[in-house]
Short mmCIF file of all heavy atoms in Angstrom, two decimals:
data_model
loop_
_atom_site.label_atom_id
_atom_site.label_comp_id
_atom_site.label_asym_id
_atom_site.label_seq_id
_atom_site.Cartn_x
_atom_site.Cartn_y
_atom_site.Cartn_z
N PRO F 7 11.92 197.53 285.09
CA PRO F 7 12.50 198.15 286.23
C PRO F 7 11.53 198.46 287.32
O PRO F 7 11.83 198.29 288.53
CB PRO F 7 13.27 199.30 285.77
CG PRO F 7 13.39 199.20 284.26
CD PRO F 7 12.32 198.19 283.97
N VAL F 8 10.55 199.05 286.95
CA VAL F 8 9.36 199.42 287.95
C VAL F 8 8.98 198.23 288.70
O VAL F 8 8.80 198.15 289.88
CB VAL F 8 8.35 200.25 287.36
CG1 VAL F 8 7.28 200.51 288.30
CG2 VAL F 8 8.86 201.55 286.71
N ALA F 9 8.62 197.10 287.92
CA ALA F 9 8.08 195.89 288.64
C ALA F 9 9.10 195.42 289.55
O ALA F 9 8.80 194.84 290.66
CB ALA F 9 7.76 194.88 287.44
N LEU F 10 10.34 195.39 289.22
CA LEU F 10 11.43 194.83 290.19
C LEU F 10 11.45 195.75 291.45
O LEU F 10 11.53 195.27 292.53
CB LEU F 10 12.71 194.81 289.43
CG LEU F 10 12.87 193.75 288.34
CD1 LEU F 10 14.32 193.84 287.70
CD2 LEU F 10 12.70 192.37 288.92
N ALA F 11 11.34 197.01 291.19
CA ALA F 11 11.45 197.95 292.38
C ALA F 11 10.13 197.80 293.35
O ALA F 11 10.44 197.73 294.60
CB ALA F 11 11.46 199.57 291.89
N VAL F 12 9.13 197.49 292.71
CA VAL F 12 7.71 197.37 293.54
C VAL F 12 8.02 196.13 294.36
O VAL F 12 7.69 196.05 295.42
CB VAL F 12 6.57 197.52 292.71
CG1 VAL F 12 5.39 197.03 293.41
CG2 VAL F 12 6.37 198.87 292.16
N ALA F 13 8.31 194.89 293.62
CA ALA F 13 8.46 193.75 294.28
C ALA F 13 9.49 193.73 295.31
O ALA F 13 9.33 193.18 296.49
CB ALA F 13 8.70 192.57 293.31
N SER F 14 10.68 194.37 295.03
CA SER F 14 11.67 194.54 296.05
C SER F 14 11.18 195.30 297.31
O SER F 14 11.40 194.97 298.47
CB SER F 14 12.81 195.29 295.55
OG SER F 14 13.84 195.71 296.47
N SER F 15 10.41 196.40 297.14
CA SER F 15 9.76 197.06 298.19
C SER F 15 8.81 196.38 299.13
O SER F 15 8.91 196.40 300.20
CB SER F 15 9.26 198.40 297.73
OG SER F 15 8.66 199.25 298.67
N LEU F 16 7.96 195.66 298.40
CA LEU F 16 6.87 194.89 299.06
C LEU F 16 7.54 193.66 299.91
O LEU F 16 6.86 193.39 300.91
CB LEU F 16 5.86 194.44 298.05
CG LEU F 16 5.03 195.46 297.42
CD1 LEU F 16 4.13 194.93 296.38
CD2 LEU F 16 4.15 196.14 298.54
N THR F 17 8.56 193.09 299.38
CA THR F 17 9.11 191.80 300.07
C THR F 17 10.28 192.22 301.00
O THR F 17 10.54 191.30 301.72
CB THR F 17 9.57 190.80 298.91
OG1 THR F 17 10.66 191.44 298.13
CG2 THR F 17 8.45 190.40 298.08
N GLY F 18 10.77 193.44 300.84
CA GLY F 18 11.95 193.71 301.58
C GLY F 18 13.26 193.17 301.06
O GLY F 18 14.26 193.09 301.90
N VAL F 19 13.19 192.56 299.88
CA VAL F 19 14.48 191.94 299.39
C VAL F 19 15.28 192.95 298.55
O VAL F 19 14.70 193.46 297.61
CB VAL F 19 14.10 190.77 298.52
CG1 VAL F 19 15.42 190.13 297.80
CG2 VAL F 19 13.32 189.60 299.32
N ARG F 20 16.47 193.19 298.78
CA ARG F 20 17.38 194.10 298.13
C ARG F 20 17.70 193.55 296.72
O ARG F 20 18.36 192.41 296.95
CB ARG F 20 18.55 194.50 298.97
CG ARG F 20 19.36 195.61 298.45
CD ARG F 20 20.46 195.99 299.40
NE ARG F 20 21.53 196.84 298.73
CZ ARG F 20 22.47 196.54 298.06
NH1 ARG F 20 22.76 195.23 297.88
NH2 ARG F 20 23.22 197.36 297.59
N VAL F 21 17.63 194.16 295.67
CA VAL F 21 18.08 193.50 294.49
C VAL F 21 19.46 193.95 294.10
O VAL F 21 20.09 193.16 293.17
CB VAL F 21 17.07 193.92 293.21
CG1 VAL F 21 15.77 193.26 293.49
CG2 VAL F 21 16.96 195.36 293.05
N GLY F 22 20.04 194.94 294.70
CA GLY F 22 21.45 195.21 294.32
C GLY F 22 21.67 195.95 293.03
O GLY F 22 20.61 196.40 292.50
N ARG F 23 22.88 195.82 292.47
CA ARG F 23 23.16 196.41 291.33
C ARG F 23 22.65 195.60 289.98
O ARG F 23 23.22 194.52 289.68
CB ARG F 23 24.53 196.67 291.00
CG ARG F 23 25.17 197.81 291.77
CD ARG F 23 26.66 197.96 291.62
NE ARG F 23 27.12 197.93 290.22
CZ ARG F 23 27.56 198.99 289.58
NH1 ARG F 23 27.46 200.22 290.21
NH2 ARG F 23 27.94 198.87 288.39
N VAL F 24 21.46 195.93 289.51
CA VAL F 24 20.80 195.21 288.37
C VAL F 24 20.41 196.26 287.28
O VAL F 24 19.91 197.30 287.59
CB VAL F 24 19.66 194.58 288.86
CG1 VAL F 24 18.81 193.85 287.79
CG2 VAL F 24 19.89 193.49 289.97
N ALA F 25 20.80 195.87 286.20
CA ALA F 25 20.31 196.57 284.88
C ALA F 25 19.11 195.97 284.43
O ALA F 25 19.21 194.72 284.23
CB ALA F 25 21.34 196.83 283.94
N ALA F 26 18.16 196.57 284.34
CA ALA F 26 16.82 195.88 283.77
C ALA F 26 15.96 196.83 282.75
O ALA F 26 15.94 198.04 283.04
CB ALA F 26 15.89 195.46 285.01
N TRP F 27 15.40 196.20 281.82
CA TRP F 27 14.63 196.99 280.90
C TRP F 27 13.53 195.91 280.24
O TRP F 27 13.66 194.80 280.39
CB TRP F 27 15.49 197.74 279.86
CG TRP F 27 16.21 196.68 279.10
CD1 TRP F 27 15.72 196.21 277.69
CD2 TRP F 27 17.53 196.18 279.19
NE1 TRP F 27 16.69 195.33 277.16
CE2 TRP F 27 17.69 195.39 278.22
CE3 TRP F 27 18.43 196.38 280.15
CZ2 TRP F 27 19.03 194.72 278.05
CZ3 TRP F 27 19.63 195.75 279.98
CH2 TRP F 27 19.93 194.86 278.97
N GLY F 28 12.68 196.58 279.53
CA GLY F 28 11.65 195.73 278.79
C GLY F 28 10.32 196.16 279.31
O GLY F 28 10.12 196.92 280.27
N GLU F 29 9.37 195.60 278.68
CA GLU F 29 7.90 195.85 278.99
C GLU F 29 7.48 194.50 279.57
O GLU F 29 7.83 193.48 279.17
CB GLU F 29 7.14 196.27 277.87
CG GLU F 29 7.51 197.52 277.19
CD GLU F 29 6.64 197.94 275.99
OE1 GLU F 29 5.83 197.18 275.60
OE2 GLU F 29 7.05 198.91 275.41
N VAL F 30 6.44 194.62 280.53
CA VAL F 30 5.82 193.35 281.06
C VAL F 30 4.43 193.49 280.54
O VAL F 30 3.67 194.39 280.71
CB VAL F 30 5.76 193.39 282.63
CG1 VAL F 30 5.04 192.33 283.16
CG2 VAL F 30 7.23 193.59 283.16
N GLY F 31 4.08 192.28 279.90
CA GLY F 31 2.72 192.24 279.29
C GLY F 31 1.66 191.88 280.34
O GLY F 31 2.05 191.63 281.63
N LEU F 32 0.37 191.86 280.04
CA LEU F 32 -0.70 191.54 281.01
C LEU F 32 -0.62 190.16 281.58
O LEU F 32 -0.99 190.06 282.71
CB LEU F 32 -2.11 191.75 280.34
CG LEU F 32 -2.38 193.29 279.94
CD1 LEU F 32 -3.70 193.33 279.31
CD2 LEU F 32 -2.38 194.16 281.18
N THR F 33 -0.07 189.17 280.96
CA THR F 33 0.04 187.81 281.49
C THR F 33 1.49 187.65 282.18
O THR F 33 1.71 186.53 282.47
CB THR F 33 -0.08 186.76 280.34
OG1 THR F 33 0.88 187.00 279.35
CG2 THR F 33 -1.55 186.88 279.63
N GLY F 34 2.20 188.75 282.24
CA GLY F 34 3.57 188.54 282.95
C GLY F 34 4.72 188.30 282.05
O GLY F 34 5.79 188.12 282.39
N GLU F 35 4.59 188.20 280.70
CA GLU F 35 5.59 187.93 279.80
C GLU F 35 6.47 189.19 279.65
O GLU F 35 5.97 190.32 279.57
CB GLU F 35 5.07 187.41 278.42
CG GLU F 35 4.69 188.49 277.50
CD GLU F 35 3.19 188.90 277.70
OE1 GLU F 35 2.59 188.49 278.66
OE2 GLU F 35 2.69 189.72 276.83
N LEU F 36 7.65 189.06 279.35
CA LEU F 36 8.67 190.20 279.17
C LEU F 36 8.74 190.39 277.57
O LEU F 36 8.85 189.44 276.87
CB LEU F 36 10.13 189.90 279.67
CG LEU F 36 10.19 189.73 281.19
CD1 LEU F 36 11.74 189.41 281.51
CD2 LEU F 36 9.75 190.94 281.83
N ARG F 37 8.56 191.66 277.19
CA ARG F 37 8.68 192.10 275.87
C ARG F 37 9.78 192.92 275.52
O ARG F 37 10.25 193.72 276.36
CB ARG F 37 7.34 192.72 275.43
CG ARG F 37 6.06 191.82 275.50
CD ARG F 37 4.94 192.43 274.82
NE ARG F 37 3.90 192.60 275.85
CZ ARG F 37 2.89 193.63 275.77
NH1 ARG F 37 2.84 194.50 274.95
NH2 ARG F 37 2.07 193.40 276.75
N ALA F 38 10.27 192.84 274.36
CA ALA F 38 11.50 193.66 273.92
C ALA F 38 11.18 195.28 274.02
O ALA F 38 9.96 195.66 273.83
CB ALA F 38 11.98 193.20 272.48
N SER F 39 12.20 195.95 274.21
CA SER F 39 12.07 197.39 274.07
C SER F 39 13.20 197.87 273.21
O SER F 39 14.15 197.08 272.94
CB SER F 39 12.26 198.00 275.56
OG SER F 39 13.41 197.69 276.20
N PRO F 40 13.24 199.15 272.62
CA PRO F 40 14.17 199.43 271.78
C PRO F 40 15.63 199.40 272.27
O PRO F 40 15.76 199.73 273.39
CB PRO F 40 13.76 200.88 271.39
CG PRO F 40 12.34 201.04 271.89
CD PRO F 40 12.18 200.05 272.96
N GLN F 41 16.55 199.08 271.33
CA GLN F 41 17.96 199.14 271.61
C GLN F 41 18.39 198.18 272.79
O GLN F 41 19.26 198.55 273.56
CB GLN F 41 18.43 200.42 271.72
CG GLN F 41 18.10 201.38 270.65
CD GLN F 41 18.65 202.84 270.78
OE1 GLN F 41 19.24 203.19 271.83
NE2 GLN F 41 18.36 203.67 269.85
N GLY F 42 17.89 197.03 272.82
CA GLY F 42 18.09 196.16 273.96
C GLY F 42 19.64 195.71 273.87
O GLY F 42 20.32 195.70 275.05
N ASP F 43 20.15 195.49 272.76
CA ASP F 43 21.57 194.98 272.63
C ASP F 43 22.55 196.20 273.09
O ASP F 43 23.56 196.05 273.76
CB ASP F 43 21.93 194.69 271.19
CG ASP F 43 21.41 193.43 270.74
OD1 ASP F 43 20.88 192.57 271.66
OD2 ASP F 43 21.15 193.21 269.49
N ARG F 44 22.10 197.41 272.77
CA ARG F 44 22.94 198.61 273.19
C ARG F 44 22.91 198.77 274.73
O ARG F 44 23.90 198.97 275.36
CB ARG F 44 22.38 199.78 272.39
CG ARG F 44 23.23 201.01 272.78
CD ARG F 44 22.72 202.28 271.91
NE ARG F 44 23.53 203.44 272.25
CZ ARG F 44 23.38 204.57 271.76
NH1 ARG F 44 22.15 204.73 270.91
NH2 ARG F 44 24.08 205.55 271.99
N ARG F 45 21.74 198.67 275.33
CA ARG F 45 21.48 198.59 276.76
C ARG F 45 22.42 197.65 277.44
O ARG F 45 22.92 197.82 278.48
CB ARG F 45 20.10 198.48 277.25
CG ARG F 45 19.15 199.70 276.63
CD ARG F 45 17.72 199.27 276.86
NE ARG F 45 16.97 200.12 276.04
CZ ARG F 45 15.88 200.95 276.72
NH1 ARG F 45 15.67 200.93 277.98
NH2 ARG F 45 15.25 201.71 275.91
N ARG F 46 22.30 196.31 276.98
CA ARG F 46 23.01 195.33 277.55
C ARG F 46 24.53 195.55 277.52
O ARG F 46 25.32 195.32 278.54
CB ARG F 46 22.79 193.90 276.74
CG ARG F 46 23.24 192.68 277.43
CD ARG F 46 22.88 191.53 276.65
NE ARG F 46 21.36 191.37 276.59
CZ ARG F 46 20.57 190.84 277.48
NH1 ARG F 46 21.17 190.40 278.56
NH2 ARG F 46 19.34 190.82 277.34
N GLY F 47 25.09 196.10 276.31
CA GLY F 47 26.41 196.29 276.23
C GLY F 47 26.90 197.46 277.11
O GLY F 47 27.92 197.40 277.74
N GLU F 48 26.09 198.47 277.28
CA GLU F 48 26.46 199.69 278.15
C GLU F 48 26.46 199.15 279.62
O GLU F 48 27.28 199.57 280.37
CB GLU F 48 25.36 200.68 277.96
CG GLU F 48 25.78 201.92 278.78
CD GLU F 48 27.03 202.79 278.28
OE1 GLU F 48 27.36 202.47 277.17
OE2 GLU F 48 27.49 203.58 279.01
N ALA F 49 25.45 198.30 280.05
CA ALA F 49 25.41 197.82 281.39
C ALA F 49 26.73 196.97 281.70
O ALA F 49 27.35 197.09 282.75
CB ALA F 49 24.16 196.88 281.66
N GLY F 50 27.11 196.21 280.71
CA GLY F 50 28.25 195.47 280.91
C GLY F 50 29.54 196.25 281.01
O GLY F 50 30.36 195.98 281.93
N ARG F 51 29.63 197.30 280.25
CA ARG F 51 30.57 198.21 280.22
C ARG F 51 30.87 198.98 281.57
O ARG F 51 31.91 199.24 282.04
CB ARG F 51 30.64 199.30 279.07
CG ARG F 51 31.78 200.16 278.96
CD ARG F 51 31.62 201.23 277.85
NE ARG F 51 30.58 202.29 278.34
CZ ARG F 51 30.92 203.17 279.15
NH1 ARG F 51 32.09 203.37 279.73
NH2 ARG F 51 29.99 204.10 279.47
N LEU F 52 29.65 199.18 282.15
CA LEU F 52 29.53 199.84 283.52
C LEU F 52 29.85 198.95 284.67
O LEU F 52 29.90 199.29 285.81
CB LEU F 52 28.36 200.56 283.76
CG LEU F 52 27.94 201.81 282.81
CD1 LEU F 52 26.64 202.29 282.86
CD2 LEU F 52 29.00 202.97 283.11
N GLY F 53 29.99 197.60 284.27
CA GLY F 53 30.37 196.72 285.36
C GLY F 53 29.30 195.95 286.16
O GLY F 53 29.36 195.35 287.17
N VAL F 54 28.02 196.30 285.61
CA VAL F 54 26.74 195.59 286.25
C VAL F 54 26.91 194.18 285.82
O VAL F 54 26.98 193.74 284.76
CB VAL F 54 25.53 196.27 285.57
CG1 VAL F 54 24.36 195.70 286.27
CG2 VAL F 54 25.56 197.77 285.89
N GLU F 55 26.75 193.26 286.81
CA GLU F 55 26.92 191.97 286.61
C GLU F 55 25.61 191.28 286.41
O GLU F 55 25.48 190.18 285.66
CB GLU F 55 27.66 191.26 287.82
CG GLU F 55 28.99 191.71 288.17
CD GLU F 55 29.53 191.09 289.41
OE1 GLU F 55 29.01 190.22 289.99
OE2 GLU F 55 30.71 191.49 289.72
N ARG F 56 24.49 191.70 286.97
CA ARG F 56 23.03 191.11 286.81
C ARG F 56 22.43 192.09 285.80
O ARG F 56 22.09 193.07 286.20
CB ARG F 56 22.38 190.96 288.07
CG ARG F 56 23.05 189.94 288.92
CD ARG F 56 22.45 189.44 290.11
NE ARG F 56 21.53 190.33 290.71
CZ ARG F 56 21.02 190.13 291.90
NH1 ARG F 56 21.37 189.14 292.71
NH2 ARG F 56 20.15 191.00 292.45
N ILE F 57 22.16 191.47 284.69
CA ILE F 57 21.54 192.19 283.50
C ILE F 57 20.29 191.39 283.14
O ILE F 57 20.26 190.25 282.85
CB ILE F 57 22.36 192.22 282.44
CG1 ILE F 57 23.72 193.10 282.67
CG2 ILE F 57 21.72 193.02 281.17
CD1 ILE F 57 24.61 193.07 281.69
N LEU F 58 19.09 192.09 283.30
CA LEU F 58 17.81 191.41 283.02
C LEU F 58 17.08 192.39 281.87
O LEU F 58 16.87 193.39 282.10
CB LEU F 58 16.84 191.42 284.27
CG LEU F 58 17.38 190.61 285.49
CD1 LEU F 58 16.52 190.87 286.61
CD2 LEU F 58 17.54 189.13 285.14
N GLY F 59 16.87 191.58 280.77
CA GLY F 59 16.28 192.23 279.66
C GLY F 59 15.75 191.10 278.70
O GLY F 59 16.32 189.98 278.67
N PRO F 60 14.73 191.48 278.05
CA PRO F 60 14.23 190.45 276.99
C PRO F 60 15.44 190.12 276.10
O PRO F 60 16.25 191.00 275.62
CB PRO F 60 13.20 191.34 276.20
CG PRO F 60 12.69 192.26 277.29
CD PRO F 60 13.92 192.70 277.91
N GLY F 61 15.46 188.86 275.54
CA GLY F 61 16.45 188.36 274.66
C GLY F 61 15.90 187.13 273.94
O GLY F 61 14.73 187.00 273.93
N PRO F 62 16.85 186.44 273.37
CA PRO F 62 16.36 185.19 272.68
C PRO F 62 15.59 184.26 273.48
O PRO F 62 14.72 183.56 272.84
CB PRO F 62 17.70 184.62 272.03
CG PRO F 62 18.86 185.58 272.50
CD PRO F 62 18.24 186.66 273.50
N HIS F 63 15.79 184.22 274.64
CA HIS F 63 15.11 183.19 275.55
C HIS F 63 14.17 184.07 276.59
O HIS F 63 14.32 184.08 277.76
CB HIS F 63 16.23 182.32 276.35
CG HIS F 63 17.08 181.74 275.52
ND1 HIS F 63 16.65 180.75 274.68
CD2 HIS F 63 18.34 181.88 275.24
CE1 HIS F 63 17.67 180.16 273.93
NE2 HIS F 63 18.71 180.91 274.25
N ASP F 64 13.32 184.85 276.12
CA ASP F 64 12.50 185.67 276.81
C ASP F 64 11.78 184.93 277.95
O ASP F 64 11.35 183.80 277.65
CB ASP F 64 11.41 186.56 275.97
CG ASP F 64 11.95 187.43 274.92
OD1 ASP F 64 13.24 187.82 275.24
OD2 ASP F 64 11.22 188.05 274.19
N GLY F 65 11.91 185.43 279.23
CA GLY F 65 11.16 184.75 280.07
C GLY F 65 9.88 185.44 280.57
O GLY F 65 9.30 186.18 279.80
N SER F 66 9.55 185.37 281.87
CA SER F 66 8.45 186.09 282.43
C SER F 66 8.94 187.03 283.54
O SER F 66 9.98 186.85 284.00
CB SER F 66 7.40 185.03 282.86
OG SER F 66 7.90 184.38 284.08
N LEU F 67 8.05 187.80 283.98
CA LEU F 67 8.15 188.51 285.23
C LEU F 67 8.59 187.68 286.34
O LEU F 67 9.46 188.06 287.12
CB LEU F 67 7.02 189.39 285.55
CG LEU F 67 7.18 190.29 286.79
CD1 LEU F 67 8.37 191.28 286.69
CD2 LEU F 67 5.87 191.05 287.14
N VAL F 68 7.94 186.57 286.54
CA VAL F 68 8.33 185.52 287.66
C VAL F 68 9.80 185.18 287.48
O VAL F 68 10.47 185.05 288.55
CB VAL F 68 7.37 184.33 287.62
CG1 VAL F 68 7.82 183.41 288.70
CG2 VAL F 68 5.92 184.94 287.99
N ASP F 69 10.15 184.86 286.37
CA ASP F 69 11.67 184.50 286.16
C ASP F 69 12.49 185.58 286.46
O ASP F 69 13.60 185.39 287.09
CB ASP F 69 11.94 184.10 284.63
CG ASP F 69 11.09 182.90 284.16
OD1 ASP F 69 10.76 182.03 284.99
OD2 ASP F 69 10.66 182.75 282.95
N ALA F 70 12.26 186.89 286.06
CA ALA F 70 13.02 187.94 286.40
C ALA F 70 13.17 188.23 287.81
O ALA F 70 14.20 188.39 288.42
CB ALA F 70 12.53 189.08 285.68
N LEU F 71 12.00 188.15 288.63
CA LEU F 71 11.99 188.35 289.99
C LEU F 71 12.86 187.17 290.77
O LEU F 71 13.59 187.46 291.67
CB LEU F 71 10.55 188.25 290.60
CG LEU F 71 9.72 189.39 290.23
CD1 LEU F 71 8.32 189.22 290.75
CD2 LEU F 71 10.21 190.70 290.64
N ALA F 72 12.70 185.98 290.23
CA ALA F 72 13.56 184.86 290.83
C ALA F 72 15.02 185.06 290.56
O ALA F 72 15.89 184.82 291.43
CB ALA F 72 13.07 183.53 290.21
N ALA F 73 15.41 185.66 289.38
CA ALA F 73 16.71 185.99 289.03
C ALA F 73 17.44 186.94 290.07
O ALA F 73 18.65 187.03 290.26
CB ALA F 73 16.87 186.37 287.66
N VAL F 74 16.71 187.89 290.57
CA VAL F 74 17.22 188.74 291.41
C VAL F 74 17.00 188.35 293.05
O VAL F 74 17.17 189.12 293.86
CB VAL F 74 16.65 190.24 291.42
CG1 VAL F 74 17.13 190.68 289.97
CG2 VAL F 74 15.12 190.29 291.55
N GLY F 75 16.52 187.15 293.28
CA GLY F 75 16.37 186.55 294.60
C GLY F 75 15.09 186.85 295.25
O GLY F 75 14.98 186.70 296.43
N ILE F 76 14.08 187.30 294.50
CA ILE F 76 12.72 187.34 295.07
C ILE F 76 11.96 186.00 294.79
O ILE F 76 11.37 185.81 293.73
CB ILE F 76 12.00 188.58 294.44
CG1 ILE F 76 12.73 189.90 294.83
CG2 ILE F 76 10.57 188.64 295.09
CD1 ILE F 76 12.12 191.12 294.33
N ALA F 77 12.17 185.05 295.60
CA ALA F 77 11.71 183.71 295.30
C ALA F 77 10.13 183.74 295.39
O ALA F 77 9.56 184.49 296.03
CB ALA F 77 12.13 182.73 296.37
N GLY F 78 9.54 182.94 294.39
CA GLY F 78 8.10 182.90 294.30
C GLY F 78 7.62 183.91 293.46
O GLY F 78 6.43 183.81 293.08
N GLY F 79 8.43 184.78 293.07
CA GLY F 79 8.00 185.79 292.12
C GLY F 79 6.63 186.71 292.35
O GLY F 79 6.64 187.10 293.37
N ARG F 80 5.93 186.56 291.34
CA ARG F 80 4.64 187.43 291.47
C ARG F 80 3.91 187.10 292.76
O ARG F 80 3.45 187.96 293.38
CB ARG F 80 3.83 187.17 290.25
CG ARG F 80 2.43 187.84 290.10
CD ARG F 80 1.76 187.60 288.93
NE ARG F 80 1.84 186.18 288.46
CZ ARG F 80 1.78 185.74 287.34
NH1 ARG F 80 1.60 186.54 286.39
NH2 ARG F 80 1.74 184.38 287.05
N ARG F 81 3.59 185.66 293.06
CA ARG F 81 2.77 185.47 294.19
C ARG F 81 3.38 185.99 295.43
O ARG F 81 2.61 186.43 296.26
CB ARG F 81 2.69 183.88 294.36
CG ARG F 81 1.65 183.44 295.35
CD ARG F 81 1.65 182.06 295.38
NE ARG F 81 2.75 181.35 295.78
CZ ARG F 81 3.01 180.14 295.77
NH1 ARG F 81 2.03 179.24 295.40
NH2 ARG F 81 4.10 179.66 296.19
N THR F 82 4.66 185.84 295.70
CA THR F 82 5.37 186.43 296.91
C THR F 82 5.09 187.94 296.94
O THR F 82 4.83 188.48 298.04
CB THR F 82 6.84 186.13 296.94
OG1 THR F 82 6.98 184.65 296.83
CG2 THR F 82 7.45 186.67 298.24
N ALA F 83 5.33 188.66 295.84
CA ALA F 83 5.03 190.15 295.95
C ALA F 83 3.58 190.50 296.34
O ALA F 83 3.22 191.28 297.00
CB ALA F 83 5.53 190.69 294.67
N LEU F 84 2.68 189.71 295.69
CA LEU F 84 1.25 189.99 295.92
C LEU F 84 0.96 189.63 297.33
O LEU F 84 0.05 190.37 297.97
CB LEU F 84 0.29 189.25 294.91
CG LEU F 84 0.46 189.64 293.44
CD1 LEU F 84 -0.27 188.74 292.55
CD2 LEU F 84 0.05 191.13 293.34
N GLU F 85 1.47 188.54 297.99
CA GLU F 85 1.18 188.29 299.27
C GLU F 85 1.59 189.24 300.19
O GLU F 85 1.04 189.59 301.29
CB GLU F 85 1.69 186.91 299.55
CG GLU F 85 0.95 185.67 298.98
CD GLU F 85 1.89 184.33 299.19
OE1 GLU F 85 2.91 184.48 299.73
OE2 GLU F 85 1.12 183.33 298.73
N ALA F 86 2.92 189.87 299.88
CA ALA F 86 3.35 190.93 300.70
C ALA F 86 2.50 192.17 300.64
O ALA F 86 2.48 192.88 301.64
CB ALA F 86 4.88 191.25 300.37
N ALA F 87 1.96 192.36 299.58
CA ALA F 87 1.09 193.68 299.46
C ALA F 87 -0.23 193.45 300.36
O ALA F 87 -0.89 194.41 300.64
CB ALA F 87 0.65 193.83 298.03
N GLY F 88 -0.54 192.24 300.61
CA GLY F 88 -1.56 191.93 301.50
C GLY F 88 -3.07 192.06 301.33
O GLY F 88 -3.90 192.20 301.92
#
């Protein structure tokens, strides 16, 4: 969630209603955090449509950024930081 917030702030792209959790490794991979299934279920119950969290097809931070509309992922955020 913090990585998405920072990237959103740096690029000016609003991410909207997104539920996100997990840890980001040093190489940008997403790692599981406790009770992921419970978090996913609760977000769905609350009507959140975009849910990003580690799962069977774990992606990377770049994939997560692209999923919320921050094209280019990590590179775009770093370029915006200048």
Side-chain angles (χ1 to χ4, degrees):
V8 173
L10 292 177
V12 169
S14 173
S15 177
L16 291 174
T17 61
V19 175
R20 184 177 175 273
V21 296
R23 284 181 47 106
V24 174
W27 64 89
E29 297 179 4
V30 179
L32 293 175
T33 61
E35 80 278 7
L36 296 181
R37 292 191 241 153
S39 57
Q41 302 181 2
D43 291 336
R44 185 174 179 186
R45 294 171 195 238
R46 188 176 302 276
E48 185 68 14
R51 187 184 73 75
L52 292 171
V54 177
E55 295 178 9
R56 295 192 327 195
I57 300 172
L58 301 173
H63 305 291
D64 291 351
S66 66
L67 177 59
V68 173
D69 297 332
L71 293 174
V74 295
I76 301 175
R80 176 179 45 206
R81 189 176 63 185
T82 300
L84 291 175
E85 287 171 355

